[in-house]
Amino acid sequence: MARLTREELQVPVSMWREEDMIAGERAEAFVLIFRTTGCWWSYQGGCLMCGYNAASSRAVTIEDLKAQLAKATERYRGERMVKLYTSGSFLDENEVPPEVRDEVFSAFGKADRILFESRPEFITDDSLSRIDCARSAIAIGLESSNEEILRKSVRKGFTVADYTRAAEVMLDRKVPLRTYLLLKPPYLTERAAVEDAISSIQYSSQFSESVSVNPVNVQRDTVVEALWRRGNYRPPYLWSLVEVLRQGKEVSGCRVMSSPSGGGTARGVHNCDRCDRKILDAVQRFSFNQDAGEFEGLQCGCRKEWAAVMDVQDTMGTSVDISRYLSSELEFD
Ligand code: SF4
Ligand SMILES: [Zn+2]
């Protein structure tokens, strides 16, 4: 939890521009990370991989949120898409009061689409009736469509049924859904993680306009970080991500994408220094063009290590980071 001055509380955590897609068309997006009081679930221990509440502060007031919004509108250049992240739920009225929410929709009046995140418990017919559904898109972090993994490996605090109910309410109101899935929650072998992500893509794509696969990025002061430091966790290989996107695309009817944070670093999805960049570039191109041909011909010596980890972990029935013992990857930043 951040300890900040009033002045700091009145500035968004971060703002930048990037490209995204609206209903299959490339679009410029303005991205804004709002500092709020944070996700209510993080106060209950939160998800095992989540360190987002480091950017939140209990001291944030309505005036601070309005001041952040004013700073964001100064930087906004009329991009068609606005992505507004709160490190929590935009529809949680304790986090973003309705008055601020309404101001967001008018401040970005030129945007055709405003994408924000919410946990499913805040997505109801009533809450959707209070926002501009025609310009909204909502991202839900389902992480996995397997109840047991969701409970034990993610500690999500909601069920797949909760997600499904929220997704159906959104379908009724024609609000596009982006589902986030987590690639390789802790306690899963590399192979089990790949299989879980593919079946989760298959399940969630029936409700979603797009599915975004987020490989675990080891964040500070999380359970996942503690496991990683002890050698009991390795973030997924990029080879696993490629498999998930390739096979996931085959079993889904929607856009499948990934924009990995920390890609190519020890804390993020990575293979080896020789191939990380080239594979991350292929992932980025695939995320826009949906052409699995981007992954053809990708080769590197480390693919053998990945195949060995998939087999050895299965044989030993363990999810510990075997690659550390194979390649003495003992350095932590
Ligand atoms: S629901 Fe999202 S913001 Fe809240 S603890 Fe989980 S990952 Fe973090
Ligand atoms: Zn490699």
Side-chain angles (χ1 to χ4, degrees), residues 231-295:
N232 287 336
Y233 181 79
R234 184 205 188 277
Y237 283 82
L238 273 162
W239 295 123
S240 296
L241 178 60
V242 165
E243 252 347 88
V244 166
L245 296 176
R246 215 174 45 75
Q247 292 188 46
K249 183 68 205 166
E250 280 171 18
V251 295
S252 80
C254 73
R255 180 184 173 213
V256 180
M257 55 184 284
S258 181
S259 181
S261 41
T265 70
R267 284 176 178 264
V269 59
H270 67 279
N271 283 349
C272 80
D273 291 347
R274 289 184 302 281
C275 66
D276 282 346
R277 190 66 266 155
K278 137 180 112 176
I279 298 184
L280 285 166
D281 288 347
V283 166
Q284 196 189 12
R285 289 194 300 275
F286 169 84
S287 295
F288 282 99
N289 66 20
Q290 299 291 281
D291 178 3
E294 297 291 355
F295 303 131

Side-chain angles (χ1 to χ4, degrees), residues 90 105 112-116 128 131-138 170 174-177:
F90 183 72
F105 280 95
D112 296 340
R113 178 170 286 189
I114 301 179
L115 172 77
F116 52 82
L128 295 190
I131 59 167
D132 183 354
C133 285
R135 294 166 64 222
S136 297
I138 305 179
M170 287 174 63
K174 298 192 173 51
V175 176
L177 167 61

Side-chain angles (χ1 to χ4, degrees), residues 208-249:
S208 308
E209 181 186 273
S210 57
V211 173
S212 179
V213 179
N214 297 325
V216 164
N217 179 29
V218 179
Q219 296 179 358
R220 299 200 184 268
D221 302 325
T222 58
V223 170
V224 169
E225 186 186 52
L227 292 167
W228 175 71
R229 286 193 179 281
R230 277 187 242 128
N232 287 336
Y233 181 79
R234 184 205 188 277
Y237 283 82
L238 273 162
W239 295 123
S240 296
L241 178 60
V242 165
E243 252 347 88
V244 166
L245 296 176
R246 215 174 45 75
Q247 292 188 46
K249 183 68 205 166

